[in-house]
Amino acid sequence: MINVAVLGYGTVGSGVAKILWENHSHVCRRAGEEINLKYVLDLREFPGDPVEKVLVHDFDTIVNDPEIRVIAEAMGGLEPAYTFAKRALEKGISFCTSNKVLVEAKGAELIGIAKEHNANFFFEASVGGGIPVIRPMIECLTADHFDEISGILNGTTNYMLTRMDQEGVAYDEVLAEAQKLGYAERNPEADVEGHDAGRKIAILASLAYEKQVSFEDISMEGITKITGTDFEYARALGMSIKLLGTARKKDGKVYVIVAPFMVAPGDPLYAVNGVYNAIKLHGDMLENVMFYGQGAGKEATASAVVSDIQDCVRRLGSHREILWSGEKAELGDIAEFPFRFLVRVKTKGADAASTDGPFAAAANAVKQAVDTSKSLAEFEAAVGAKPMEALKSADGETAVLTGPITEKKLTEAIASTGVDVIGRIRLA
Amino acid sequence: MINVAVLGYGTVGSGVAKILWENHSHVCRRAGEEINLKYVLDLREFPGDPVEKVLVHDFDTIVNDPEIRVIAEAMGGLEPAYTFAKRALEKGISFCTSNKVLVEAKGAELIGIAKEHNANFFFEASVGGGIPVIRPMIECLTADHFDEISGILNGTTNYMLTRMDQEGVAYDEVLAEAQKLGYAERNPEADVEGHDAGRKIAILASLAYEKQVSFEDISMEGITKITGTDFEYARALGMSIKLLGTARKKDGKVYVIVAPFMVAPGDPLYAVNGVYNAIKLHGDMLENVMFYGQGAGKEATASAVVSDIQDCVRRLGSHREILWSGEKAELGDIAEFPFRFLVRVKTKGADAASTDGPFAAAANAVKQAVDTSKSLAEFEAAVGAKPMEALKSADGETAVLTGPITEKKLTEAIASTGVDVIGRIRLA
């Protein structure tokens, strides 16, 4: 029998306990060992909850018990999770976690400590909730070089964007709704500004490129400026708008950004809606592979933590190598990575064209209206836009779909042609 | 240095050699060992091909070489693959394969032999080509009970259905096209009759339910009877038509079928188009999880075989338990599993309604036309169809969307009401 402990009896931690109890025989059979949840650590009391029998308030009780072989942490935040992880691993106790803050900041170091002590540090649930992606990257996608990892990594913002797109609900309204449903925090910054997705793409990029990609080095744009007009353009193009975390490798450098992207229907991320998450990888042999599922939620995330516990149990006494060194990856300046952009530009009274109808018809109508604008024509030439790729959705503005261009050059083209830019969104 | 051999230098086998050579340092680093491709077995000669240096024509050379630790098989078919696998495993040589015929028929037995000899039998590439699904099922999805596994498991038929849907190409024409492109065999039965998908869902169901689910016990309906009219109905419903292999668990029994299904937009399988494959699992904790990627193709499939080789190398000297016993799973009669059906029914001169326009409008128009048909109304009542769920797309016929009903009861309802059925498709 293997004794394990869970740190934190919140949403995920209580889910882990629930699965260990409810799916007990299944979980043990698949781990090859009887697993006993000996302790749950939480500062709170839970009168009447089955956890009472195993509840403790002091980490020392757990880490000093020689029977404990695996600890699963679901408290969140850097401290005391980091200290607890370190103390456990230094005693040879395997440690698994759903805590993306801990993994992003200390993953490389904790893997190193685990290796030294012949234990394991696993973190499947830290990215994509219940979606298996970390272990498949380590165990399955091992023959390929990956030039792209892109993910819808935050369920809250994906729910919001889906509602804005499908129901035409405005940003403020959908945020209030998401808060009411418990999808968004009262302080929603971590979600809507892309910080949560930023930590997750940092973890995935670190694993793919085997060096540290840090959250604080990543460009992040949130979804707070996305409006109904952006969705009108997206619909005219047959695309959807998704908040993506994306890492691209080019000429030995890694470029990482979190931002809203226009996603075309041929892209498997296009149809990932609501609170679902998905991670797409593009390899030199595999081409596109995608993992899809619930990116959050008590049971789904807990299921991934339990799978880590089971893997720790199966691997007791041996360390599974995970290639993620503490050395910083060489990050490129995202302003020098070529993307296609949809650029919204103010027009000078050229507001004759209709907003409705299919793309081609609208584009033709628009072209006639905007061809009067010399600076716009110059801008289109400068950014490699094809004439038919001018779109119009609202009075007094048009949009230009650029060719692949770096943000640096796009900014120069805007400055040199004097067009009045309302906003811009990258194409995935 | 670990010496390995590849059996068969066809599409997949040559892809495996290519990856072992071209991505050599990456592959070895991720395996934790130098991997040397010492032999490739093929009866043919390949003058001028780099394989010449390692080409052998006799399996004995490989299996009798004590330096060989891992063999990857990509020949296909039951024999001689089965004999080779057995001989290798009995010598403690780990064996991996992309061969679904071998895995479906002999998987349980070969896993047992591998266990006896402290070796491994891996088969990631046998289902879903390059998509990681076997190992994630064994290593990641270990906390959940799965009540459904459904997959688009055959790229050829998915390509054909996508073309029929998006371009309105007829079945015969799209089959000829697929044959010309090399997606379909000259004798396309294995693909279009669902046999290929049948072997793959048998493997997935065996792994999920830990007992033998055999190909020959599975109901299979192919796509040969799908017509443009079926796609008209699908479009009216906002659905797509996919050939699914699906295994459902209910009251301790496993129900397995390969058939065309109508798939709703909320289902992640809905938007899986072209040659892509995807496998969706529904667990009691995780809810839906989906794995997406290239289900065939030289490099993609070979990438999965190489990941198996790497895993065999990492696990040399230890057996990874895979729960798949030779005991037969208790299969239910698929005619007793409730599905919703779209049933196409001949109408008696009630051909007034238009085929175009959105669902609700069409449905109303149709209702007026078909309400004259007493037997149809009786049939609708018998199959739990809601009045608005009668659809019409062509002269002289209508379609009824049933409630959840077993095929057995559906057949009874057809017989007792005397409606004249043209065809029926299940809803996913």
Side-chain angles (χ1 to χ4, degrees), chain A residues 248-275:
Chain A
R248 317 268 172 122
K249 194 160 190 183
K250 195 166 171 273
D251 305 327
K253 285 186 185 169
V254 182
Y255 298 80
V256 192
I257 185 171
V258 175
F261 279 80
M262 296 261 185
V263 181
D267 190 318
L269 295 171
Y270 166 81
V272 175
N273 289 321
V275 295

Short mmCIF file of all heavy atoms in Angstrom, two decimals, chain A residues 248-275:
data_model
loop_
_atom_site.label_atom_id
_atom_site.label_comp_id
_atom_site.label_asym_id
_atom_site.label_seq_id
_atom_site.Cartn_x
_atom_site.Cartn_y
_atom_site.Cartn_z
N ARG A 248 6.66 30.04 -31.28
CA ARG A 248 7.13 29.64 -32.61
C ARG A 248 8.65 29.60 -32.59
O ARG A 248 9.29 30.47 -32.00
CB ARG A 248 6.67 30.67 -33.66
CG ARG A 248 5.23 31.15 -33.50
CD ARG A 248 4.26 30.32 -34.30
NE ARG A 248 2.89 30.67 -33.98
CZ ARG A 248 1.99 31.11 -34.89
NH1 ARG A 248 2.35 31.24 -36.16
NH2 ARG A 248 0.75 31.38 -34.54
N LYS A 249 9.19 28.61 -33.25
CA LYS A 249 10.66 28.53 -33.33
C LYS A 249 11.10 28.88 -34.75
O LYS A 249 10.54 28.35 -35.72
CB LYS A 249 11.15 27.14 -32.96
CG LYS A 249 12.66 27.12 -32.72
CD LYS A 249 13.11 25.94 -31.90
CE LYS A 249 14.56 26.10 -31.49
NZ LYS A 249 15.06 24.95 -30.75
N LYS A 250 12.04 29.79 -34.86
CA LYS A 250 12.50 30.24 -36.17
C LYS A 250 13.97 30.61 -36.04
O LYS A 250 14.33 31.40 -35.17
CB LYS A 250 11.68 31.46 -36.62
CG LYS A 250 11.79 31.81 -38.08
CD LYS A 250 10.69 32.79 -38.49
CE LYS A 250 10.92 33.32 -39.88
NZ LYS A 250 11.79 34.50 -39.91
N ASP A 251 14.80 30.03 -36.89
CA ASP A 251 16.23 30.32 -36.89
C ASP A 251 16.84 30.23 -35.49
O ASP A 251 17.63 31.11 -35.09
CB ASP A 251 16.49 31.71 -37.50
CG ASP A 251 15.88 31.84 -38.89
OD1 ASP A 251 15.83 30.82 -39.61
OD2 ASP A 251 15.43 32.94 -39.24
N GLY A 252 16.45 29.19 -34.77
CA GLY A 252 17.06 28.94 -33.46
C GLY A 252 16.50 29.77 -32.32
O GLY A 252 16.84 29.53 -31.16
N LYS A 253 15.66 30.75 -32.66
CA LYS A 253 15.08 31.57 -31.58
C LYS A 253 13.63 31.17 -31.33
O LYS A 253 12.94 30.72 -32.24
CB LYS A 253 15.13 33.05 -31.95
CG LYS A 253 16.52 33.64 -31.83
CD LYS A 253 16.45 35.14 -32.06
CE LYS A 253 17.85 35.74 -32.06
NZ LYS A 253 17.84 37.13 -32.53
N VAL A 254 13.18 31.39 -30.10
CA VAL A 254 11.80 31.10 -29.74
C VAL A 254 11.05 32.42 -29.57
O VAL A 254 11.52 33.32 -28.87
CB VAL A 254 11.73 30.28 -28.43
CG1 VAL A 254 10.28 29.93 -28.10
CG2 VAL A 254 12.56 29.00 -28.56
N TYR A 255 9.92 32.53 -30.25
CA TYR A 255 9.08 33.72 -30.17
C TYR A 255 7.78 33.34 -29.47
O TYR A 255 7.11 32.42 -29.91
CB TYR A 255 8.76 34.25 -31.58
CG TYR A 255 9.98 34.67 -32.36
CD1 TYR A 255 10.79 33.73 -33.00
CD2 TYR A 255 10.35 36.01 -32.44
CE1 TYR A 255 11.92 34.12 -33.70
CE2 TYR A 255 11.48 36.41 -33.14
CZ TYR A 255 12.26 35.46 -33.76
OH TYR A 255 13.39 35.85 -34.46
N VAL A 256 7.46 34.05 -28.40
CA VAL A 256 6.28 33.67 -27.62
C VAL A 256 5.38 34.89 -27.40
O VAL A 256 5.87 35.98 -27.07
CB VAL A 256 6.68 33.10 -26.24
CG1 VAL A 256 5.47 32.46 -25.57
CG2 VAL A 256 7.80 32.08 -26.37
N ILE A 257 4.10 34.70 -27.60
CA ILE A 257 3.15 35.79 -27.36
C ILE A 257 1.81 35.21 -26.92
O ILE A 257 1.44 34.10 -27.33
CB ILE A 257 2.98 36.67 -28.62
CG1 ILE A 257 2.07 37.88 -28.32
CG2 ILE A 257 2.45 35.87 -29.80
CD1 ILE A 257 2.02 38.92 -29.43
N VAL A 258 1.11 35.97 -26.09
CA VAL A 258 -0.30 35.71 -25.81
C VAL A 258 -1.06 36.89 -26.37
O VAL A 258 -0.77 38.05 -26.05
CB VAL A 258 -0.57 35.60 -24.30
CG1 VAL A 258 -2.07 35.45 -24.03
CG2 VAL A 258 0.20 34.43 -23.71
N ALA A 259 -2.02 36.63 -27.23
CA ALA A 259 -2.79 37.72 -27.86
C ALA A 259 -4.03 37.14 -28.51
O ALA A 259 -4.10 35.94 -28.78
CB ALA A 259 -1.93 38.44 -28.89
N PRO A 260 -5.02 38.00 -28.79
CA PRO A 260 -6.16 37.53 -29.58
C PRO A 260 -5.69 37.32 -31.02
O PRO A 260 -4.93 38.13 -31.55
CB PRO A 260 -7.16 38.70 -29.53
CG PRO A 260 -6.62 39.66 -28.52
CD PRO A 260 -5.15 39.43 -28.42
N PHE A 261 -6.14 36.24 -31.63
CA PHE A 261 -5.79 35.92 -33.01
C PHE A 261 -7.07 35.64 -33.80
O PHE A 261 -8.03 35.10 -33.26
CB PHE A 261 -4.91 34.67 -33.08
CG PHE A 261 -3.46 34.89 -32.79
CD1 PHE A 261 -3.00 35.00 -31.48
CD2 PHE A 261 -2.53 34.98 -33.83
CE1 PHE A 261 -1.65 35.20 -31.20
CE2 PHE A 261 -1.18 35.17 -33.55
CZ PHE A 261 -0.73 35.29 -32.25
N MET A 262 -7.06 35.97 -35.09
CA MET A 262 -8.09 35.49 -36.01
C MET A 262 -7.67 34.08 -36.43
O MET A 262 -6.54 33.87 -36.86
CB MET A 262 -8.13 36.37 -37.27
CG MET A 262 -8.53 37.80 -37.00
SD MET A 262 -10.28 38.02 -37.36
CE MET A 262 -10.41 39.80 -37.11
N VAL A 263 -8.60 33.14 -36.31
CA VAL A 263 -8.28 31.73 -36.59
C VAL A 263 -9.15 31.23 -37.75
O VAL A 263 -10.38 31.35 -37.71
CB VAL A 263 -8.51 30.86 -35.34
CG1 VAL A 263 -8.15 29.41 -35.62
CG2 VAL A 263 -7.69 31.38 -34.16
N ALA A 264 -8.52 30.69 -38.77
CA ALA A 264 -9.23 30.23 -39.97
C ALA A 264 -9.86 28.85 -39.73
O ALA A 264 -9.39 28.09 -38.88
CB ALA A 264 -8.27 30.17 -41.16
N PRO A 265 -10.92 28.51 -40.48
CA PRO A 265 -11.64 27.25 -40.27
C PRO A 265 -10.78 26.00 -40.46
O PRO A 265 -11.07 24.97 -39.87
CB PRO A 265 -12.74 27.27 -41.33
CG PRO A 265 -12.83 28.67 -41.79
CD PRO A 265 -11.51 29.32 -41.56
N GLY A 266 -9.74 26.09 -41.27
CA GLY A 266 -8.87 24.93 -41.47
C GLY A 266 -8.02 24.61 -40.25
O GLY A 266 -7.47 23.51 -40.13
N ASP A 267 -7.92 25.54 -39.34
CA ASP A 267 -7.12 25.37 -38.13
C ASP A 267 -7.96 24.63 -37.09
O ASP A 267 -9.08 25.04 -36.80
CB ASP A 267 -6.71 26.75 -37.62
CG ASP A 267 -5.68 26.70 -36.50
OD1 ASP A 267 -5.80 25.85 -35.61
OD2 ASP A 267 -4.75 27.52 -36.53
N PRO A 268 -7.44 23.54 -36.50
CA PRO A 268 -8.27 22.80 -35.54
C PRO A 268 -8.67 23.62 -34.32
O PRO A 268 -9.60 23.24 -33.61
CB PRO A 268 -7.39 21.60 -35.16
CG PRO A 268 -6.01 21.96 -35.56
CD PRO A 268 -6.13 22.90 -36.72
N LEU A 269 -7.97 24.74 -34.07
CA LEU A 269 -8.34 25.58 -32.93
C LEU A 269 -9.58 26.43 -33.21
O LEU A 269 -10.21 26.96 -32.29
CB LEU A 269 -7.17 26.52 -32.55
CG LEU A 269 -5.91 25.83 -32.03
CD1 LEU A 269 -4.77 26.83 -31.91
CD2 LEU A 269 -6.17 25.16 -30.68
N TYR A 270 -9.94 26.53 -34.49
CA TYR A 270 -11.05 27.40 -34.91
C TYR A 270 -12.34 27.08 -34.17
O TYR A 270 -13.07 27.98 -33.77
CB TYR A 270 -11.25 27.22 -36.42
CG TYR A 270 -12.54 27.76 -36.97
CD1 TYR A 270 -12.69 29.12 -37.26
CD2 TYR A 270 -13.63 26.92 -37.23
CE1 TYR A 270 -13.87 29.62 -37.79
CE2 TYR A 270 -14.81 27.42 -37.74
CZ TYR A 270 -14.93 28.77 -38.02
OH TYR A 270 -16.11 29.25 -38.52
N ALA A 271 -12.65 25.79 -34.02
CA ALA A 271 -13.96 25.38 -33.51
C ALA A 271 -13.94 25.03 -32.03
O ALA A 271 -14.86 24.40 -31.53
CB ALA A 271 -14.48 24.20 -34.32
N VAL A 272 -12.89 25.41 -31.31
CA VAL A 272 -12.82 25.13 -29.87
C VAL A 272 -13.57 26.23 -29.13
O VAL A 272 -13.09 27.36 -29.05
CB VAL A 272 -11.35 25.02 -29.41
CG1 VAL A 272 -11.27 24.85 -27.90
CG2 VAL A 272 -10.65 23.88 -30.13
N ASN A 273 -14.72 25.92 -28.63
CA ASN A 273 -15.61 26.95 -28.09
C ASN A 273 -15.88 26.76 -26.60
O ASN A 273 -15.60 25.72 -26.02
CB ASN A 273 -16.93 26.93 -28.86
CG ASN A 273 -16.77 27.48 -30.28
OD1 ASN A 273 -16.02 28.44 -30.49
ND2 ASN A 273 -17.44 26.86 -31.22
N GLY A 274 -16.46 27.82 -26.02
CA GLY A 274 -16.89 27.77 -24.63
C GLY A 274 -15.71 27.60 -23.68
O GLY A 274 -14.62 28.10 -23.95
N VAL A 275 -15.94 26.89 -22.59
CA VAL A 275 -14.88 26.77 -21.59
C VAL A 275 -13.81 25.74 -21.98
O VAL A 275 -12.87 25.50 -21.23
CB VAL A 275 -15.45 26.39 -20.19
CG1 VAL A 275 -16.32 27.51 -19.67
CG2 VAL A 275 -16.22 25.09 -20.25
#
